[in-house]
Amino acid sequence: MLRYLARRVALMVPTLFGVALLTFIMLRVVPGDVVEVKLRADGGYVTTEILERERARLGLDKPLPVQFVDWMTGLVTLDLGNSMWTGRPVAEEIGVRIGLTFQVALMAAFISVLIAIPLGTISALYRDTWVDYVVRIFTIAGLAVPSFWLGMLLLLLLLTVFHWSPPVTYTPFYENPLQNMAQLIWPALAVGYRYAAVVARMVRSSIIEVMREDYIRTARAKGVFERLVVARHAMRNALLPAVTVIGLEFAFLLGGLVVTEQVFNLNGIGRLFVEAVSRNDFVLIQALVMLLAAVFVTMNLIVDVLYGVLDPRVRNA
Amino acid sequence: MSATALPAFRAPNPILAFIRAQPLGAAGLVVILVMGTAAVFAEVIAPFNPEAIDFMSMLAAPSADHFFGTDAFGRDILTRIIYGARTALTIGFLSSFIGCTAGGLLGVASAYFGGRADLLIMRLVDIVLSFPIIVLALVVVAVLGKTAVLGIDLNLVFAIAIPIIPRACRVVRSAALSVRQMPYIDAARAGGYSSTHIILRHMAPNVLAPYLILLTAYVAQAILLEASLSFLGLGVQEPKPAWGLMLAGDSANFYQEAPWMILFPGLAISLAVFAFNLFGDSLRDWLDPKFRT
Amino acid sequence: MNQVLHLDEGCSHTRPPGVDEPILSVEGLVVEFDTSRGVVRAVDGVSWSVRAGETLALVGESGCGKSVSALAVMRLLAKPAGRIAGGRIMFQGQDLLSLTEGQMRERRGRDIAMIFQEPMTSLNPVLSIGLQLAEPLKIHMGMSDAQARERSIELLGLVGIADAERRLAQYPHHFSGGMRQRVMIAIGLACNPRLIIADEPTTALDVTIQAQILELMKDLSRRLGITLVLITHNLGIVARYADRVAVMYAGRIAEEGPAARVFAAPRHPYTVGLLRSVPRLDRARGGMLETIDGAPPNMLHPPTGCRFAPRCRWRQDICATDPALRQVVPDQSSACHFAEDMPPPPQPLSGHALAPPNAGAMLLEVKGLTKHFPVRMRGFFGGTATVRAAQDVSFRIGRGETLGLVGESGCGKTTVGRVVLQLEKATGGQILFDGEDLATVSSRRMKELRTRIQVIFQDPYSSLNPRMTVGGTIREPLRKRLGFSAIKAQARVEELLDQVGLLREMADRYPHQMSGGQRQRVGIARALAMEPDFIVCDEPVSALDVSIQGQIVNLLAELQGRLGIAYLFIAHDLAVVRHLSHRIVVMYLGRVMESADRDALYAEPLHPYTRALLDAAPIPDPEVERGRAARALTGELPSPLSPPQGCVFHTRCPLADAQCRSVIPPLREIRPGHMAACIKI
């Protein structure tokens, strides 16, 4: 098991390296650059000389391979460089925002999975009845409603019906849990809807598939109670594909936050990312992309390990 | 079950058969067709000019003149939604088509040739898959810039199509891998036909079903993505009408006073995506014998 | 308990009352399925019964409703598509259809157990064997964990699984197909049921394993006094194991009676046809195989009147009315208007005898063929391993000759075929086709040679491109490889359709609009289109029903006689091969065990494995079966990933000794033209 884990972790490295290389190449073919955007934004005429000096300061005058090696060395030593826009260390920029974003994401994931698994199961077991239709429409709608719009509607609802607005300043959970939740539960619900829909659909279809399996018929032929057929024989098998979706969609949950944070005025990773893109702040973009890719790859690893725990065929082939 | 092993005869009219078997999907299709018609004939249908600014009726509530009200520039929201359908469907279809076709062909070729080529392609796909869709789209936007090329937003189309490619590639490849195992492919190889002939004549037609399903599903995704990017100000640019854009800017500031500004564009996005998902879902159920009873 | 016999219009099992009361009787059962194309009556007024302690076989071809009627007894029809639309199912005097779902559940596994066809998928992959075995014990017998465990160990011992205690903690993937079926039997026996229904319990297994499982079931049911309902399409199994037999056709019972009587004096033309069309191991080939014309009806629109009439040789006007199932002679019933005086069967078809081989003219010579596959292992510790699919295989095929290549799963027969076709590259050895080594010729030359070497596959469902019409499939080689003009190709397609016995208008059909046998004919036409010298036939009839098998075998024989094509005929069934082959090669775990002319092989098999194969296959004749000793080969088929050292067969061989474990026996000529790889003969 340990050896397997070590091998799997080692396999993450080339993927992350690939992500780094791809991001780097893409961002360096960009015509404009941060220097111009930044200096021109201040208005007025900028001489080439000033541009060059600024570029040199940011290390943009070096040949591309050197820049890449510099960056990679930085990554390995956990020195992510400085933002090209604010000049502050990237690690610091991310550090102050990461807690908020992850808290929202984790809350969303938790609530969603809690709702989605029973919902998907019920829908599958009552297939083609009105229960199933309601759940299916609810879940397809979950895929259709943009989370940022849902966020707006939530805010509108709170304001018009309850005449209340969530707090606008971030309070860390350990300082005041209530205040913290009052602010963050809404974006969690807004992004969680889609996640819940995806998971519920997966649970539904995999239970439907599993219920057709021969071993379900065997269990029934043994006289096993129908409840036990579902809980013991079907769920264990049906949850395997659901685990994959729960794990992999988590990374996409973070993606959803990129947009939704704008609506709730949250100063999180997503907002930072959008700002970085609009300002061509490559150093920051690169770092954030690496962060999200790392989350994705890690979730992948967790899913694989969970598979090993849940599926005896993988555990001891 | 032995009863299903009987020879099957295709129902005379596939469209009628689809409507009967998948009423929900047919409803989705109707919505799609209505939106498509609105998009094509926007000039005829829309009551106003989408970009006409009218300072006399700013933030007007829905009325007989303006069914859906007006925005902060006094532009008619209904008109902008109708024109927005054009933007959404064009970008949605184009990017899904480009993404699924490129990914699909890559997937079929990868499955057919196998070996090192397959391994390399799948490694690349794995890498690109590590980017959440919107993140990759944003990176591509950062690369291609925000401005439209040649009237349509080709930059956006590519920003949305590129993240679709590896996803389509994976799905089509796995379908193609099972087709690859089929004896009729072996029979074709034993017949001495060229690889191109086998891929185009024998493999591609048999992965058409998953391809079509993907195509519909990704139109929905693409519409949603375009709305998100436009909302962030990194997609379609003012004054061009686009649903996501209508939710951004002044709408985001004033929607508590003028909720119709966000209500209707958001509904339009949701309805379009909902319809495509409904249709795609039913199409999958209908084309996949596993889901047939 | 209710002692009255319930008679139905279609049922007349009037027996002397008393001890012979049926334990289960199905009366006028009707089962319907909703399909996308309408309602199918899969079972239409079927009645059968089984007496305590007896073994009843339900026989029939696919789609005849035999499995459906058994599932209906358990009330386990797939919901919501399938439903019981009429009839009664009396079990120990009680109508099972009148029970609530809860009462029915109590009976499942406790009074009636069921064993299914697919051992590989019938056990839950994520639950341990111990848990799956203990489940019925805890539910029905209220046993504690410890009691259930003790009983489970006892049960595994009963079904011949050694080291039971350790095995309980294992999962299904640790067990082979045969072993899983043993576990299924153990689960079935757990609560001492009165009745076990076994639905094609050995169809997915190799013939030597099939013999083990059936012997086990027979032995246990006798010893424990369990009534057995055996559902099968294999008439040999019926002859060897059944006391009574009910023959089903198109959702109805055709004939019912004691097995010995039904085989000796069938009272229904369908039974007659079925019995005559099975290729038999114990008969030398007389000419062509008997066949039943046509194919079973589409159950969406079954014919009115007698359902077998459209295929019946003795059809009369009266056959347009429904014949009732009635007692013809004591204890034997038939649903044929002419059951009382069955016309004498027509003379055996003479037709084409096996074409004499074109002596001397060698076409294909395989020398020392070896093929290894690297495989990646699953799981946490997955590395790579090597499957030795074929090891030093040699044989020769002359022009116009058939070589039968026989063996169980994993013996490498299909791999040999694929290497000959150059769908796989050989790891070693030569494949000389007309003097050229296919392993080394240029790809350009290979492309030319491909028109001369063609293939027919096992599964008629997946061997045709579902998106191409029949005409398109046959036209493709003509246009693309032989350069026919469109007009010329059209004419040739029609000629080929004639040749394989299909109608010309079928050219416009898609494969899914045809039956299995018709599809297989299309596959043959596609191969013939190239005008090949040689066709690899990879199990071309094993996916087909008995009545269709004969048609295809006959067609292949006839084409060979007419066109002088050589075949490499790959099969797992020694009986089918006997009818078509000039020479036969028997393989086991990648190696050739024996190779001989057909008659020599069947008359005097030399290798112990060949003998075991011949013994294991039951012969569809109770008279013959009674005289045969049941000699099931013991042990499991070893994995081709780690074949035994020395002689690969030594782990299961009755003759094996220490020497066999270390020496790889060479294939040596023991009699002229008769070779075997065994050091003990």
Side-chain angles (χ1 to χ4, degrees), chain A residues 122-129 132 204 208 212, chain B residues 285 291 293:
Chain A
I122 290 169
S123 179
L125 295 181
Y126 294 91
R127 191 173 178 218
D128 290 333
T129 64
D132 181 32
R204 175 182 181 272
I208 287 178
R212 291 168 197 272
Chain B
D285 283 8
F291 285 89
T293 46

Side-chain angles (χ1 to χ4, degrees), chain B residues 40-73:
Chain B
V40 172
F41 300 105
E43 281 83 359
V44 185
I45 298 169
F48 292 90
N49 179 331
E51 293 173 19
I53 294 171
D54 180 2
F55 292 111
M56 302 308 290
S57 56
M58 291 192 304
L59 297 178
S63 65
D65 282 345
H66 301 280
F67 289 133
F68 288 177
T70 62
D71 68 6
F73 294 100

Side-chain angles (χ1 to χ4, degrees), chain C residues 13 90 145 289 379 417 605:
Chain C
H13 310 282
M90 302 301 294
D145 284 335
L289 276 171

